[in-house]
């Protein structure tokens, strides 16, 4: 049943709700890294962990009657404070059409912890659904979280904080372990090194912007359900899993929203107890106009 769900998810995610991405019409298809270009390291990925090690990780899920459990996991989110969850803009788009909830404080996406409803989403005003630039959104919860050892806010970076090539970060999520493989019900973590923008652009060309950074490790990376997962260094958030090509198949880097260059927006929105409805309307209208341009 899990494999069936993964196949169905893949079809949905290729339309925009996940880490597998399609490229704008007329653009050049990505070219994989050559073996001698790929950085080598001894880090190990895909290991089981507990939510106490990544207490900011939350599961975004919605109901599906034909699934094994009451709800299915489709994206990962990150706790910013007791009222706000950071997600990608692409994942937040699904909230408009689905009854999305989040589960916090559990090793498993289908049980344990507590479940909370989302009141509304605020997209980054420059978010571009097609290119996935500025791929951030903040989700306002209906009820505040109760913080504990298994429910904690992540630490935010300084504005424009720089992390050089080869910086090792960790990321935890409930996404699929391999392309077209089974979803993982229990939280898994991986560790990955960053690579230079120039090297990443040899694969994805000019689609990589200053609001993104890339990582690569042979056969290790994000996949279905990992979008929105926090990339952290010593407990500090440096990025959010945004997109990749074919579940980080050999030669294809993962791409992350560069949080440090957008952290001022995160702080501004999440520090407000109740943002003005006009602010939300203007942001949504700007995204709509760009998508129709």
């Amino acid at each position: 049943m899990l494999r069936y769900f993964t196949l169905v998810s893949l079809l949905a995610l290729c339309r925009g709700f996940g880490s597998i991405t399609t490229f704008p019409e007329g653009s050049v298809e990505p070219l994989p890294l050559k073996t001698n270009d790929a950085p080598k390291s001894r880090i190990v990925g895909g290991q089981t962990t507990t939510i106490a090690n990544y207490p900011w990780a939350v599961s975004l899920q919605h109901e599906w009657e034909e699934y094994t459990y009451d709800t299915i996991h489709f994206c990962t989110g990150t706790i910013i404070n007791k009222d706000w969850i950071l997600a990608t803009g692409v994942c937040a788009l699904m909230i408009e059409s689905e009854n999305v909830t989040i589960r916090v404080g559990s090793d498993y996406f289908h049980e344990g912890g507590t479940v909370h409803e989302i009141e509304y989403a605020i997209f980054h005003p420059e978010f571009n659904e097609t290119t996935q630039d500025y791929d951030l959104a903040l989700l306002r919860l209906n009820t505040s979280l109760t913080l504990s050892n298994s429910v904690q806010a992540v630490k935010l970076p300084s504005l424009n904080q720089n992390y050089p090539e080869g910086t090792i970060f960790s990321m935890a999520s409930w996404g699929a372990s391999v392309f077209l493989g089974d979803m993982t019900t229990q939280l898994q973590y991986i560790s990955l090194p960053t690579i230079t923008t120039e090297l990443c652009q040899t694969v994805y060309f000019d689609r990589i912007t200053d609001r993104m950074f890339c990582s690569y490790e042979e056969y290790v990376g994000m996949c279905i359900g990992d979008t929105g997962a926090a990339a952290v260094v010593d407990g500090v958030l440096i990025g959010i899993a945004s997109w990749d090509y074919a579940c980080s198949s050999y030669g294809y880097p993962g791409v992350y929203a560069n949080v440090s260059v957008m952290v001022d927006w995160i702080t501004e929105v999440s520090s407000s107890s109740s943002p003005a409805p006009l602010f939300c309307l203007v942001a949504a209208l700007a995204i709509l106009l760009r998508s129709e341009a």
Side-chain angles (χ1 to χ4, degrees):
M1 186 64 183
L2 283 176
R3 187 173 295 277
Y4 169 75
F5 160 63
T6 301
L7 180 59
V8 173
S9 295
L10 177 62
L11 297 176
L13 296 179
C14 284
R15 296 201 303 268
F17 300 121
S19 64
I20 300 176
T21 192
T22 56
F23 282 71
E25 185 176 354
S27 65
V28 181
E29 286 295 300
L31 299 174
L33 293 172
K34 297 178 181 178
T35 302
N36 58 358
D37 287 335
K40 300 296 189 294
S41 70
R42 298 179 181 177
I43 56 178
V44 179
Q47 298 185 29
T48 300
T49 187
T50 66
I51 196 67
N53 293 328
Y54 297 89
W56 46 79
V58 306
S59 170
L60 274 65
Q61 43 197 237
H62 63 83
E63 297 176 355
W64 189 24
E65 294 180 356
E66 299 180 8
Y67 188 44
T68 304
Y69 308 113
D70 293 335
T71 57
I72 58 174
H73 169 89
F74 69 92
C75 281
T76 303
T78 303
I79 299 173
I80 298 301
N81 59 39
K82 62 184 179 65
D83 295 310
W84 292 94
I85 304 298
L86 182 64
T88 64
V90 169
C91 288
L93 288 171
M94 196 168 183
I95 295 172
E96 300 174 0
S97 59
E98 300 287 347
N99 182 25
V100 174
T101 57
I102 68 163
R103 187 182 299 274
V104 306
S106 177
D107 295 349
Y108 303 91
F109 74 73
H110 63 286
E111 64 181 9
T114 58
V115 176
H116 299 259
E117 295 182 352
I118 298 169
E119 187 174 354
Y120 54 79
I122 298 180
F123 295 84
H124 191 286
E126 298 296 324
F127 169 58
N128 187 308
E129 181 182 352
T130 301
T131 65
Q132 290 176 251
D133 201 4
Y134 294 94
D135 191 16
L136 292 183
L138 280 162
L139 313 179
R140 170 76 182 191
L141 300 176
N142 267 344
T143 56
S144 297
L145 301 176
T146 300
L147 301 182
S148 65
N149 289 337
S150 58
V151 180
Q152 288 287 331
V154 73
K155 296 178 182 177
L156 293 176
S158 303
L159 181 63
N160 295 321
Q161 188 169 343
N162 181 49
Y163 290 91
E165 175 190 10
T167 296
I168 304 296
F169 65 85
S170 62
M171 180 176 72
S173 181
W174 295 268
S177 58
V178 294
F179 185 59
L180 285 181
D182 293 339
M183 296 294 287
T184 53
T185 56
Q186 188 171 358
L187 190 65
Q188 304 281 307
Y189 83 94
I190 55 176
S191 296
L192 292 166
T194 61
I195 62 174
T196 64
T197 297
E198 291 74 20
L199 181 57
C200 198
Q201 286 174 334
T202 66
V203 179
Y204 298 127
F205 309 103
D206 59 358
R207 188 168 180 185
I208 305 303
T209 72
D210 292 340
R211 278 74 58 188
M212 305 173 187
F213 69 84
C214 301
S215 71
Y216 182 74
E217 174 75 7
E218 294 178 10
Y219 305 111
V220 178
M222 69 179 80
C223 198
I224 302 169
D226 291 329
T227 307
V232 296
V233 175
D234 296 328
V236 177
L237 179 67
I238 69 168
I240 293 292
S242 180
W243 58 274
D244 73 347
Y245 190 73
C247 276
S248 299
S249 296
Y250 181 75
Y252 295 103
V255 183
Y256 299 75
N258 190 345
V259 170
S260 72
V261 302
M262 297 178 278
V263 70
D264 52 350
W265 174 80
I266 296 172
T267 302
E268 178 185 2
V269 175
S270 63
S271 62
S272 175
S273 59
S274 182
L278 181 60
F279 176 83
C280 304
L281 179 61
V282 170
L285 181 60
I287 293 169
L288 178 62
L289 291 175
R290 279 199 303 275
S291 66
E292 295 181 349

